[in-house]
Amino acid sequence: MAPALTQREHVDGVLAGDRTVLSRTITLIESQRPDHRELAGAVLSELMAHTGSSRRVGITGVPGVGKSTFIDQFGTDLTEAGHRVAVLAVDPTSQRTGGSILGDKTRMDRLAVDPNAFIRPSPSSGTLGGVGRKTRETMLVCEAAGYDVVIIETVGVGQSETTVASMVDFFLVLMIAGAGDELQGIKKGVLEVADAIVINKADGDNLLRAEIAQKEYQTALHMLMPNSPNWSPPVLTCSAIEGKGIDTIWETILEHRDKLTVSGEMEEKRKTQALDWMAFLLDEGLRQWFYTTPHVRQALAALKKNVEEEKTSPTAAADALLAFLYKQGGS
Ligand SMILES: Nc1nc2c(ncn2[C@@H]2O[C@H](COP(=O)(O)OP(=O)(O)OP(=O)(O)O)[C@@H](O)[C@H]2O)c(=O)[nH]1
Ligand SMILES: [Mg+2]
């Protein structure tokens, strides 16, 4: 193990775009140790002034839809155009941390060796706050390190998509033709937060089916209320493997940015996201503190038993516990 870095070394290294320091700062952020949390908080505070100027793009889709292939192509096109691209891959089904996800199944072969790209798996399970917490902070550190496009990838299963949607500017849902909605695990909630739907694998024998799916999703989206007055999510097609249709997607992201910037919606969106994030952290912190307080733990066990045995009503039991909270608050 290399010796621990100081706050200064973390901050200066990240700002200089030093990849090793960037990696170690992310590891620090991911740590649960109280002293690490404290140092991470101080480092983040210093870096905050250097964040916010990237395009934040969320990408989701069920396993096998082509996320990795797509990001490899999309990211490589962007670095060729002079961008610096960070990819945070969130795998909510995985307990693994570090580099193992990459080792196992990345298909981002070109991006993985691209000096202008930085790929990092983001652990989600086993951390307080699940997907969101570390990923959001990691995104900010990548921005401070000079990455002007940050892509957050998540496998489209369960809760993680909406969390990712709540931290990006543009949320892209990858689909494939020929698989029913159920099969793709796509819930209405995901379509509601999509800024674009892209039907991948629009190539070879599949081209026609992709175009049919495109029409179907266009119809489906028309029936939803757009979540922005300034943007109607388009349905596009692409072939990640052949690199077709990828440029249109980036153009769409820029068009979205321009429209929402002019209308002031982008600034509002980021403000709302920051406030929501703060509210979430407060919530988490309160719960954590409350349930780990020795008094609450003891009283909770006893009260649960009483409620089970119908000696105390659920309302009275909850009130008794909350009374402790109010006492702490001084009222
Ligand atoms: N024909 C065709 N195949 C594709 C395309 N994109 C990806 N594939 C293939 O689809 C398979 C899955 O692609 P991945 O990029 O690994 O998909 P993924 O969404 O990252 O999958 P997970 O990491 O398991 O969630 C691979 O065999 C790819 O070669 C495409 O545009 N056209
Ligand atoms: Mg993948």
Side-chain angles (χ1 to χ4, degrees), residues 113-127:
V113 294
D114 188 329
N116 290 312
F118 179 81
I119 307 179
R120 174 88 182 195
S122 215
S124 57
S125 30
T127 61

Side-chain angles (χ1 to χ4, degrees), residues 11-293:
V11 171
D12 291 347
V14 167
L15 291 179
D18 182 322
R19 300 170 72 101
T20 311
V21 177
L22 174 60
S23 287
R24 292 184 62 184
T25 305
I26 296 170
T27 305
L28 178 77
I29 282 170
E30 287 167 357
S31 170
Q32 302 280 46
R33 259 173 59 178
D35 57 329
H36 287 171
R37 293 289 320 146
E38 197 180 318
L39 179 58
V43 170
L44 272 169
S45 293
E46 275 202 66
L47 293 176
M48 273 314 282
H50 305 273
T51 65
S53 54
S54 82
R55 289 295 97 214
R56 303 168 177 173
V57 181
I59 294 181
T60 193
V62 294
V65 76
K67 294 179 294 300
S68 304
T69 312
F70 175 84
I71 293 169
D72 196 45
Q73 183 66 50
F74 182 67
T76 304
D77 289 353
L78 287 172
T79 59
E80 276 171 6
H83 293 282
R84 297 187 67 213
V85 179
V87 179
L88 311 181
V90 176
D91 187 349
T93 58
S94 176
Q95 292 278 357
R96 292 168 297 177
T97 57
S100 51
I101 294 179
L102 285 177
D104 283 359
K105 57 178 204 176
T106 182
R107 281 193 170 83
M108 301 183 217
D109 296 340
R110 283 173 296 168
L111 221 48
V113 294
D114 188 329
N116 290 312
F118 179 81
I119 307 179
R120 174 88 182 195
S122 215
S124 57
S125 30
T127 61
L128 183 69
V131 172
R133 191 186 181 103
K134 311 293 181 179
T135 310
R136 196 171 217 285
E137 293 175 352
T138 302
M139 172 176 82
L140 295 173
V141 178
C142 289
E143 288 182 350
Y147 292 91
D148 66 325
V149 181
V150 180
I151 297 171
I152 304 180
E153 180 207 328
T154 179
V155 181
V157 287
Q159 194 56 56
S160 62
E161 305 95 297
T162 35
T163 312
V164 170
S166 76
M167 61 178 94
V168 296
D169 303 325
F170 193 95
F171 191 64
L172 192 156
V173 180
L174 275 186
M175 306 259 197
I176 39 173
D181 286 0
E182 288 86 340
L183 217 123
Q184 299 205 36
I186 296 301
K187 291 163 218 75
K188 194 159 160 269
V190 175
L191 290 185
E192 275 166 357
V193 294
D195 294 304
I197 289 178
V198 177
I199 319 281
N200 188 32
K201 308 197 186 183
D203 46 44
D205 294 349
N206 215 23
L207 188 57
L208 190 63
R209 288 200 295 160
E211 283 164 0
I212 294 169
Q214 181 181 25
K215 301 240 158 48
E216 283 170 3
Y217 278 112
Q218 269 160 354
T219 310
L221 278 189
H222 273 308
M223 296 196 289
L224 292 176
M225 272 285 284
N227 67 19
S228 157
N230 304 299
W231 185 252
S232 310
V235 184
L236 308 167
T237 60
C238 79
S239 167
I241 231 162
E242 294 181 355
K244 285 191 189 133
I246 310 283
D247 47 351
T248 311
I249 297 166
W250 181 244
E251 281 158 22
T252 303
I253 292 171
L254 294 183
E255 187 192 336
H256 172 266
R257 176 199 61 187
D258 291 346
K259 283 196 170 148
L260 270 66
T261 303
V262 169
S263 65
E265 196 183 332
M266 187 55 80
E267 203 188 327
E268 276 309 307
K269 183 171 179 165
R270 287 225 175 158
K271 275 186 194 161
T272 307
Q273 287 177 343
L275 289 174
D276 286 352
W277 180 238
M278 178 183 150
F280 171 82
L281 290 178
L282 261 175
D283 242 45
E284 284 284 324
L286 274 175
R287 274 168 203 279
Q288 162 98 352
W289 166 79
F290 184 73
Y291 286 109
T292 53
T293 308

